[in-house]
Amino acid sequence: MKNIFNFVDAVQFNEMPELTAKRVKHSLLDIVGILAATSRNSTVKAAQGFALKHFCGTPADTTRLFFNGASVSTLGAAWVGGFGADSLDGHEGHFLSKGHAGATVVPSLLILADAYKDAGHKLSGHEFLSLLAIGYETSLRAGVSLIESTSYYPASGAFSGIGVVLAGGRMMSCNPEVIEHALGIAEYFSPRCPMMRVVDYPTMLRDAHSAGAYSGINALYLAQAGITGAPAETLMFEQSLKYWQDLGQSWEIDNQYYKPWPVCRWAQPALTAIERLLNDQPEICGNEIETIRIETFHESTRLQGYTPKNRDEAEYGLAYPVAAMVHAGKFGPEQLTDEFLVDKNVLALAKRVEIVESEELSQRFPSEILSRVEIRLKIGETFLSPITQAKGDPETPMSESDFLDKFYINTKGVLTEEHRDALLEELLNLEHRQDISRLLELIFKPSL
């Protein structure tokens, strides 16, 4: 554990490699945009009602709900924040852990920072970005350790609470003994949920980021109260040590991918191929399409989603997102509304989508996540994409303007222009802020 504690103590945002520092800032921008986009959806409204009923804040423990402002306890806010960041499937992810860190780490640290500020402390933008780097890096490494030691595919909440403990422990100046117990508690109580179940049967539970956020913050509080924790297997057992040896020398956050569209990662290569075909072949029109054939890897074929009944099913689908993109020429929160989900033209086109497994692409998964698309028009003309890697991978990165465009799309109709622009100003210049109070006020300020 010594090297991990040394890393946590030593991380300084302004000393990080330039690419890594950019990824930390892009990740924060991305998740905050998603928290705004989801602030009024049915999942978040239900979670808010739950928190306000069962997790009322106290003078010693209070924070606010994202883009709402209502006061609750930090543990209640953790549930809401995790559900919010996870309820629009547009957050970044990581190949080797087969999961995501940010949808747990970002809301958790914002919640802890708000409570920390409410208790009379100050936190600089530079320090907050340093904490985010710690949370991401340690969560991702714990995720790699976990995924390679289990016989099934666990949800991301199973490992992302580790980063919350380590980053939150530094924020609150916890001593190493408390943090070590908190790590054990967070891992022992972690939500090791069978991820493929919600792929096959999509619900609001998603990738368990809500439970991961709760688990991480709860573990810190329990350890501070004197509750002891068993050693954390993903960090402290002999078979796990190899995942931590180069900590501080290389960065797993550099290996993250980012999603241009709010759907499962496994659908992103097909959407990338569709976007390129639409751009290159303007004659492609939904009404003129006979069939859309998607060749992909086995896990992606599990998505299906021909007639989604709700947003969760649509985001864990493949046929519907492809049909919606072809019909609208784009895919974002607007294509996930209740009105769009019942659009007869989109659903009719979805029925003409054929999803087939490619043995070659299955063999190349998970080190490569690829798809190929063929569109056949009714007149007999056929357009075939090459085997396509998703836009947003480390080798096919999103540009600065891509991230800004995505932020504008996610906040459209949710925040006023003034609110959005002020929030963006803080996010883009956070490392220069002596105090993040302004950022927090904008993040917890009610949406439209």
Side-chain angles (χ1 to χ4, degrees), residues 174-197:
C174 297
N175 65 52
E177 183 180 4
V178 167
I179 294 175
E180 193 165 327
H181 282 300
L183 289 169
I185 295 168
E187 187 185 86
Y188 190 77
F189 286 159
S190 65
R192 297 198 178 190
C193 314
M195 187 63 206
M196 290 307 297
R197 186 177 303 169

Side-chain angles (χ1 to χ4, degrees), residues 48-368:
Q48 288 172 346
F50 164 77
L52 289 167
K53 181 177 181 180
H54 298 289
F55 287 91
C56 296
T58 69
D61 176 34
T62 184
T63 183
R64 294 167 288 178
L65 297 175
F66 293 112
F67 297 102
N68 176 283
S71 295
V72 295
S73 70
T74 48
L75 292 176
W79 282 111
V80 180
F83 271 118
D86 204 13
S87 65
L88 185 67
D89 206 352
H91 44 74
E92 86 294 301
H94 181 253
F95 291 107
L96 293 180
S97 65
K98 295 176 70 175
H100 320 267
T104 293
V105 169
V106 172
S108 296
L109 293 185
L110 287 170
I111 289 163
L112 288 173
D114 194 49
Y116 188 71
K117 180 187 73 68
D118 193 63
H121 303 282
K122 283 189 176 182
L123 193 65
S124 72
H126 175 272
E127 174 64 7
F128 186 75
L129 289 168
S130 302
L131 295 174
L132 277 181
I134 293 167
Y136 268 96
E137 189 64 21
T138 55
S139 290
L140 294 175
R141 288 173 181 264
V144 177
S145 177
L146 176 62
I147 199 71
E148 295 194 9
S149 64
T150 57
S151 58
Y152 69 103
Y153 176 15
S156 299
F159 62 78
S160 51
I162 293 295
V164 175
V165 168
L166 288 167
R170 168 164 153 170
M171 182 192 299
M172 297 186 292
S173 301
C174 297
N175 65 52
E177 183 180 4
V178 167
I179 294 175
E180 193 165 327
H181 282 300
L183 289 169
I185 295 168
E187 187 185 86
Y188 190 77
F189 286 159
S190 65
R192 297 198 178 190
C193 314
M195 187 63 206
M196 290 307 297
R197 186 177 303 169
V198 294
V199 171
D200 292 335
Y201 305 99
T203 70
M204 294 177 181
L205 300 179
R206 302 290 187 110
D207 219 339
H209 288 289
S210 50
Y214 178 91
S215 176
I217 294 176
N218 183 61
L220 276 170
Y221 290 168
L222 285 173
Q224 285 181 314
I227 301 298
T228 58
E233 179 181 9
T234 54
L235 293 87
M236 300 173 66
F237 282 26
E238 182 67 29
Q239 66 270 23
S240 303
L241 298 181
K242 60 183 177 182
Y243 304 112
W244 302 91
Q245 288 176 349
D246 63 347
L247 184 63
Q249 301 168 31
S250 66
W251 293 84
E252 282 302 320
I253 194 172
D254 290 346
N255 299 319
Q256 286 196 143
Y257 59 81
Y258 294 85
K259 294 180 181 179
W261 306 287
V263 292
C264 178
R265 174 64 183 83
W266 298 340
Q268 300 283 327
L271 289 182
T272 302
I274 288 287
E275 182 184 59
R276 292 175 184 171
L277 286 173
L278 293 177
N279 289 336
D280 294 342
Q281 308 293 339
E283 64 267 41
I284 295 175
C285 175
N287 293 333
E288 304 301 323
I289 292 175
E290 181 71 29
T291 59
I292 301 174
R293 177 183 170 89
I294 302 172
E295 296 180 21
T296 190
F297 51 98
H298 171 74
E299 285 77 2
S300 182
T301 67
R302 300 273 287 273
L303 296 174
Q304 298 294 315
Y306 284 91
T307 55
K309 299 182 182 65
N310 51 52
R311 186 185 63 257
D312 300 291
E313 291 186 5
E315 292 181 41
Y316 274 115
L318 180 54
Y320 173 83
V322 164
M325 174 175 274
V326 172
H327 176 76
K330 59 183 179 178
F331 190 82
E334 288 179 304
Q335 283 66 54
L336 293 167
T337 61
D338 291 341
E339 295 77 18
F340 210 93
L341 288 173
V342 295
D343 187 289
K344 294 180 180 178
N345 293 320
V346 176
L347 294 177
L349 184 56
K351 291 179 180 178
R352 301 199 293 275
V353 175
E354 180 185 8
I355 302 170
V356 297
E357 180 178 356
S358 162
E359 184 176 343
E360 175 193 355
L361 300 186
S362 290
Q363 289 176 350
R364 295 169 70 173
F365 178 84
S367 59
E368 296 178 281

Side-chain angles (χ1 to χ4, degrees), residues 365-380:
F365 178 84
S367 59
E368 296 178 281
I369 299 180
L370 308 165
S371 296
R372 177 165 49 199
V373 174
E374 177 189 86
I375 296 179
R376 179 181 294 275
L377 302 184
K378 293 176 181 177
I379 60 175

